[in-house]
Amino acid sequence: MKLRVILEPSDKGGYTIYVPSLPGCISEGEDIDEALANIQEAIELYLEPVEHEVSSKEGIIVRELVL
């Protein structure tokens, strides 16, 4: 999966980084490499399955899609 990220210089130094296609998925880092590592972790958490929240409901079917 490819996702576009936007890096913006922060007023306090370093960078703020976010993923336009994932609302609210934002992070920061002291330099570009750190910001990229941090946003990768944020993306993984953002996309983490939430099966436990829906699988207990009757009639619910959970499937995985590989992109």
Side-chain angles (χ1 to χ4, degrees):
M1 175 185 291
K2 290 184 181 182
L3 294 170
R4 185 173 304 229
V5 298
I6 307 296
L7 288 128
E8 295 179 348
S10 176
D11 294 339
K12 300 175 185 175
Y15 291 88
T16 299
I17 186 168
Y18 63 95
V19 186
S21 61
L22 301 175
C25 190
I26 187 169
S27 192
E28 58 189 7
E30 293 296 320
D31 55 39
I32 292 174
D33 290 333
E34 183 179 315
L36 289 168
N38 290 343
I39 199 65
Q40 183 165 344
E41 182 179 357
I43 291 167
E44 290 168 359
L45 291 170
Y46 188 100
L47 297 176
E48 191 172 88
V50 290
E51 285 183 36
H52 64 280
E53 293 179 16
V54 295
S55 62
S56 62
K57 295 179 182 178
E58 188 175 331
I60 298 292
I61 298 171
V62 177
R63 296 284 192 255
E64 286 187 13
L65 296 176
V66 178
L67 304 174

